[in-house]
């Protein structure tokens, strides 16, 4: 067998013979699959390698994985078989057989029998005794040497099987799309276990350990699978939403909502799934009419994950939203700031007092920046206290307080007690009102370094926001050291980005620095598997920093307009968020379109403020 792999390696021009031999030997020793071992080690390009193998073994190769007649496939090939052995059933017979197979029992759901063959996947059909044993089931595998899988499949499936091959990534994706997350567990649960509520109450007082599933199928395991899948897909939120006749599960990934495939009939478990989530978050499971908030502490691969849970009673039933707060590692490098901004930020972090304000709308990544700054400053000899609404990430060694208006623990009240506790550094989740702003100003003037956020679009707009709140201009100029505005843009997928072509003159017209080296990259149409066909993977922040220099202090005190302040700032080296964005386009991290979309509002608002203040 080794010869085949070496031959493919040679043909693909990958001379890593030693690595291949090592993988084969180690797989044999550990009684693991050689194919999995080779793929896990990234020795080969997955697609090329498996296609080469298919050719060598004379097995047909699936260029496009398309499942036809999904319901029938799920019926013939159980989720347990498909998920356990990683097999993807593709089609059952051809169009003509589908029509003959139509079962009158399913008439309620069935489309007319004269539907076009192309619609086959929407059509219902049960199995009829007559066609059994003749119709072939086509199944894709990526490990043709997995004899156990082939054996089990032929025992469990009562039809001849036609094997083909495709890449692992595509097969695993296909299995999940066909069956839905947690389908194997779901199938077993439906196959006759009692859904007594007691069994949901596992680990009530302990951390919920996601990777510690018991062998047995249960709602507990099913819910864990949904959460684990979300984490694997880097989702930030999970929404479990009852619809009129179905239960929908959506993940938010990179800011966009994606509906995920779930097992058919998942509605049968709706109340158990929701009850389990409420138990995990220590909520009152009997209370279904009022919204509730809770938390879950999860553990996956020894990593702690904090989950904030909110239930909302809707007319169709209770919906549950989970926000997954990964215990991120915060450090300045991860913010990816350009040198200009990074140098200024590092200077700010060395100060012993003053206010640093981060501005931007909700969802612009302000919290990540705040937490990063605090993490940089978090030393044994520094006392850091925060007041937040709510505490999104826990930082070791930092005293964090959550605002609780219901017991009158407001930002203002919390802050006053914080300051009595002699901190060096204070972080205020948001500066919402004059009371909070005034306490912050006083704190900074009495030797504290204060970080907070403001709800304005650009950096310089923060000045008028504070004075509009009622803070005296001379206090703004005396206490605030910098306004840092930010937005998130999508990051280009490193695996598939391509160089873009723009019409003559377009880039100049939007102010893109064409005189600099390099053409802007764009997202590849259709993307690739790694980025879920979107062309983008993750997000990055673009910034604009306005330092309150002596010249700007003067302008603030004399009530100068935003435009005047901006002009002075630019003469002192200020870089607008859009210009910052162009730097990130030139380094191929994002696109012209992303930067334009993220910074257009900022320009409009800037214009409006100019009108207002002049
Ligand atoms: Zn991609």
């Amino acid at each position: 067998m080794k010869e085949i792999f070496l031959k493919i390696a040679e043909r693909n021009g990958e001379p890593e013979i030693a690595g291949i031999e090592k993988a084969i030997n180690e797989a044999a020793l550990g009684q693991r699959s050689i194919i999995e071992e080779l793929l896990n080690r990234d020795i080969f390009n997955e697609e090329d390698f498996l296609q080469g193998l298919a050719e060598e073994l004379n097995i047909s190769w699936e260029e496009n994985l398309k499942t036809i007649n999904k319901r029938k496939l799920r019926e013939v090939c159980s989720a347990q078989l498909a998920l356990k052995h990683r097999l993807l059933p593709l089609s059952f017979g051809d169009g003509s057989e589908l029509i003959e197979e139509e079962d009158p029992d399913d008439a309620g759901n069935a489309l007319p029998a004269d539907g076009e063959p192309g619609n086959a996947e929407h059509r219902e059909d049960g199995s009829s005794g007559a066609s059994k044993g003749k119709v072939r089931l086509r199944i894709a595998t990526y490990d043709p040497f997995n004899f156990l899988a082939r054996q089990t499949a032929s025992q469990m499936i009562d039809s001849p099987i036609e094997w083909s091959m495709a890449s692992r990534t595509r097969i695993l994706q296909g299995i999940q799309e066909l069956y839905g997350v947690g389908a194997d567990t779901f199938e077993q649960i439906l196959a006759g276990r009692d859904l007594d509520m007691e069994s949901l109450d596992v680990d009530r007082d302990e951390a919920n350990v996601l990777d510690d599933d018991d062998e047995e199928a249960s709602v507990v395991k099913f819910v864990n699978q949904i959460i684990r899948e979300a984490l694997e897909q880097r989702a930030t939120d999970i929404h479990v939403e009852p619809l009129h006749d179905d239960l929908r599960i959506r993940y938010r990934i990179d800011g966009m909502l994606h509906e995920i495939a779930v097992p058919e009939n998942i509605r049968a478990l709706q109340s158990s799934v929701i009850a389990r989530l409420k138990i995990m978050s220590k909520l009152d499971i009997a209370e279904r009419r009022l919204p509730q908030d809770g938390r879950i502490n999860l553990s996956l691969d020894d990593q702690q994950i904090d989950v904030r849970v909110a239930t909302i009673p809707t007319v169709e039933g209770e919906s549950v939203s989970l926000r997954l707060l990964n215990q991120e590692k915060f450090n300045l490098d991860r913010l990816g700031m350009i040198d200009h901004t990074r140098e200024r930020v590092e200077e700010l972090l060395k100060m012993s007092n003053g206010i640093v304000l981060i501005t931007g709308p909700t969802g612009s990544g302000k919290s990540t920046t705040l937490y990063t700054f605090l993490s940089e400053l978090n030393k044994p000899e520094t006392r850091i206290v925060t007041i937040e609404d709510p505490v999104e990430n826990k930082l070791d060694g930092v005293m964090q307080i959550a605002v609780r208006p219901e017991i009158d623990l407001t930002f203002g009240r919390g802050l006053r007690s914080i300051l009595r506790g002699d901190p060096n550094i204070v972080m205020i989740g948001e500066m919402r009102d004059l009371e909070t702003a005034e306490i912050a100003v006083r704190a900074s003037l009495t030797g504290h370094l204060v970080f907070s956020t403001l709800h304005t679009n650009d950096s310089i707009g923060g000045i008028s926001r504070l004075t509009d709140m009622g803070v005296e201009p001379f206090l703004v100029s005396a206490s605030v050291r910098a306004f840092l505005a930010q937005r998130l843009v999508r990051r280009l997928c490193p695996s598939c980005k391509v160089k873009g072509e723009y019409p003559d003159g377009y880039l100049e017209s939007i102010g893109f620095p064409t005189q600099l080296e390099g053409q802007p990259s764009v997202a590849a149409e259709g993307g690739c598997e790694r980025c879920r066909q979107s062309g983008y993977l993750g997000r990055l922040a673009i910034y604009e920093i306005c330092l309150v220099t002596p010249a700007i202090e003067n302008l603030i005190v004399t009530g100068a307009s935003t435009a005047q302040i901006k002009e002075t700032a630019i003469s002192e080296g200020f870089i607008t968020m859009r210009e910052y964005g162009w730097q990130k386009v030139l380094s191929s991290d994002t696109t012209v379109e992303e930067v334009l979309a993220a910074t257009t509002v900022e320009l409009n608002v800037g214009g409006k403020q100019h009108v207002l203040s002049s």
Side-chain angles (χ1 to χ4, degrees), residues 46-61:
E46 186 187 317
E47 197 86 20
D48 295 346
F49 166 61
L50 289 172
Q51 186 170 6
L53 185 61
E55 275 164 30
E56 280 306 315
L57 301 174
N58 203 15
I59 300 175
S60 62
W61 176 252

Side-chain angles (χ1 to χ4, degrees), residues 26-78:
E26 283 179 18
L29 277 175
Q31 300 201 314
R32 291 187 300 269
S33 148
I34 295 176
I35 303 281
E36 298 273 9
E37 192 79 27
L38 287 170
L39 293 179
N40 290 346
R41 285 170 187 238
D42 269 338
I43 298 177
F44 295 105
N45 170 301
E46 186 187 317
E47 197 86 20
D48 295 346
F49 166 61
L50 289 172
Q51 186 170 6
L53 185 61
E55 275 164 30
E56 280 306 315
L57 301 174
N58 203 15
I59 300 175
S60 62
W61 176 252
E62 304 283 352
E63 211 52 67
N64 291 304
L65 281 185
K66 193 167 161 26
T67 49
I68 297 169
N69 206 354
K70 295 185 178 10
R71 185 161 301 187
K72 182 68 184 175
L73 292 177
R74 286 191 289 257
E75 190 186 307
V76 178
C77 179
S78 71

Side-chain angles (χ1 to χ4, degrees), residues 493-497 524 527-537:
C493 170
S495 305
C496 65
K497 61 187 169 191
C528 69
E529 266 138 28
R530 191 168 163 207
C531 59
R532 307 172 119 247
Q533 279 73 46
S534 67
Y536 293 96
L537 196 66

Side-chain angles (χ1 to χ4, degrees), residues 134-160:
K134 281 183 288 178
V135 185
R136 295 164 83 81
L137 178 67
R138 190 173 173 88
I139 299 182
T141 177
Y142 60 87
D143 188 354
F145 301 113
N146 186 346
F147 294 106
L148 179 64
R150 289 164 158 251
Q151 212 171 30
T152 316
S154 53
Q155 277 165 7
M156 291 180 68
I157 295 168
D158 193 17
S159 315

Side-chain angles (χ1 to χ4, degrees), residues 168-178 529 533:
R168 176 166 72 174
T169 312
R170 288 189 288 135
I171 287 182
L172 296 182
Q173 224 168 42
I175 293 173
Q176 199 183 92
E177 273 159 27
L178 179 61
E529 266 138 28
Q533 279 73 46

